[in-house]
Amino acid sequence: MEEAPRRSSTDDFAFSLGIDVGKTALELALHDREEVVARTTVSNDPDGHDTLVSWLEDRGAQPEKACICMEASGDFEKAIAQRLYEEDYRVSVVNPRRIKGYASSQLQRTKTDSADAALIARFGQREDPRPWEPPSAAESRLQELTRARQALQKEKTRTQNRLDEADDEAVRRAHRGLLKEIERQLEDLEEEIEEHVEEDPKLRDRCSLLDTIPGIGLQTAAIVVGELGSPERFESARQAAAYAGLVPSHHESGTSVRGDPRMSKVGNGRLRRAMYFPAMTALRFNSAVKAFGDRLKERGKETMVVIGAAMRKLLHICYGVLKSGRPFDPSLHPGT
């Protein structure tokens, strides 16, 4: 049986369900075109997901009548998004910054899970966010492999720190042994990532494009592809940077409080961290990023501000390369 096409606009739906996602619970608010008509809370596990689907059906909010919106919430949203997608609902998973901006525009000051769910429902119905689609099996496995590698790298840093701080030789010997084992596992994982990328044509093509960017190696390219997914998920490079938490956050109040812009850090921390060392390399060897960094230094910006801006610029370039399907061309970034 051929799958029916998914609806392209939230205007087609009588209901909008907003889900405030937590680690253990899902707060639900069902909104018609005027107001919230039903609320409830279910557990964020398979039983709770079954209850959610039944709850929607009991209220006449079948897939052809209801769209669903939720925030990206540290992967806690993935299972319920997948389940609702499989039930043929139109699901949108939105960057929390967009919801926060919408709340400000609505002058919402109440901050509770129930109020958040209602706000997300209104946002989903009125703002028509892009529909979510699950990653392919190859993309999911790449993400799993790259996340395991990042976890091992973090553990390697911790172990090295403990080794540097230890005085007792027996303790140092134990840490050296553990460090050697972690390094062996890292080598195995990196080899596995390379083989997995090579085996899948789409992953291979995307990583090969990113590999043309000075500062981006294969392992970083694999993280970008695994965490960012298809560039079609985003309408602009700025949206992709916001997803990684790399957009500046301004701190102003009246005329007396004027803090320097800081990185928002609201978003995908794995993707954000993956940009740090490549950005430092790009500031030296990537002509587009180097020119951008030099301009910021001339304006007296601090080192960490420059690095943060370079991380954002580098991710913009990654997005542009993936979106266009063309290798990096420094002539497209003159004097940036």
Side-chain angles (χ1 to χ4, degrees):
M1 179 177 175
E2 188 174 340
E3 184 179 346
R6 294 177 186 268
R7 298 183 177 216
S8 59
S9 170
T10 53
D11 290 339
D12 297 331
F13 298 94
F15 297 101
S16 174
L17 176 69
I19 305 180
D20 187 66
V21 179
K23 182 177 181 180
T24 60
L26 304 172
E27 189 74 31
L28 313 178
L30 187 64
H31 200 284
D32 65 10
R33 294 188 180 275
E34 300 296 333
E35 60 186 359
V36 173
V37 294
R39 300 176 188 266
T40 193
T41 304
V42 300
S43 57
N44 192 1
D45 57 29
D47 289 341
H49 301 167
D50 290 342
T51 301
L52 190 163
V53 172
S54 299
W55 183 81
L56 286 171
E57 292 174 350
D58 291 345
R59 282 148 188 81
Q62 293 89 353
E64 67 273 13
K65 293 184 178 180
C67 58
I68 296 170
C69 186
M70 65 191 79
E71 289 182 333
S73 182
D75 290 347
F76 297 133
E77 80 286 351
K78 282 193 171 181
I80 186 57
Q82 179 73 39
R83 172 64 190 279
L84 291 168
Y85 181 90
E86 290 170 356
E87 294 288 338
D88 206 33
Y89 282 96
R90 183 191 193 274
V91 180
S92 296
V93 179
V94 182
N95 189 297
R97 285 184 59 85
R98 291 191 66 190
I99 303 295
K100 185 177 180 181
Y102 182 74
S104 297
S105 73
Q106 300 296 300
L107 301 179
Q108 175 164 318
R109 293 179 174 83
T110 303
K111 179 65 177 173
T112 65
D113 292 345
S114 179
D116 285 349
L119 177 79
I120 293 168
R122 292 198 302 274
F123 175 91
Q125 191 169 60
R126 297 174 186 176
E127 299 301 313
D128 194 22
R130 183 184 296 272
W132 175 86
E133 291 189 5
S136 67
E139 288 171 334
S140 292
R141 181 156 190 266
L142 180 64
Q143 188 180 84
E144 186 177 0
L145 288 169
T146 55
R147 288 184 177 187
R149 176 176 173 268
Q150 285 183 305
L152 276 178
Q153 286 179 315
K154 189 179 290 187
E155 190 57 38
K156 178 183 176 182
T157 300
R158 289 197 191 103
T159 303
Q160 183 64 61
N161 290 340
R162 293 186 189 114
L163 174 61
D164 293 341
E165 293 169 0
D167 294 324
D168 185 87
E169 183 54 36
V171 174
R172 291 177 61 81
R173 188 163 54 248
H175 287 318
R176 280 196 294 267
L178 179 57
L179 199 58
K180 188 174 294 187
E181 175 61 20
I182 292 173
E183 288 170 346
R184 184 192 65 77
Q185 292 182 24
L186 272 170
E187 288 178 6
D188 290 345
L189 262 179
E190 288 172 357
E191 185 176 336
E192 188 73 27
I193 289 168
E194 291 177 14
E195 291 176 358
H196 181 64
V197 167
E198 192 61 32
E199 289 169 359
D200 186 89
K202 283 187 177 180
L203 297 182
R204 183 175 64 244
D205 289 347
R206 290 179 187 172
C207 288
S208 295
L209 282 170
L210 292 175
D211 202 27
T212 65
I213 304 170
I216 301 291
L218 176 58
Q219 295 298 327
T220 301
I223 295 172
V224 172
V225 170
E227 298 296 337
L228 201 61
S230 169
E232 302 305 322
R233 293 174 58 197
F234 307 97
E235 296 176 1
S236 66
R238 180 175 174 79
Q239 280 192 9
Y243 174 73
L246 285 172
V247 293
S249 177
H250 296 273
H251 299 266
E252 296 184 4
S253 178
T255 59
S256 59
V257 178
R258 301 258 176 200
D260 291 334
R262 289 175 278 180
M263 197 182 301
S264 76
K265 296 187 180 180
V266 178
N268 188 311
R270 296 180 181 90
L271 181 55
R272 183 170 61 252
R273 288 190 293 272
M275 289 291 102
Y276 181 77
F277 287 112
M280 294 180 70
T281 300
L283 283 167
R284 297 179 61 197
F285 301 110
N286 183 316
S287 57
V289 179
K290 184 177 185 301
F292 181 58
D294 288 345
R295 192 176 65 186
L296 292 177
K297 291 174 186 175
E298 289 170 2
R299 290 165 54 188
K301 298 298 181 181
E302 297 179 0
T303 299
M304 290 308 298
V305 172
V306 174
I307 293 174
M311 291 164 66
R312 183 169 63 256
K313 176 68 175 177
L314 192 57
L315 188 58
H316 281 191
I317 293 172
C318 289
Y319 171 83
V321 163
L322 291 173
K323 185 82 169 179
S324 68
R326 298 176 181 175
F328 171 67
D329 182 356
S331 69
L332 297 177
H333 308 272
T336 57

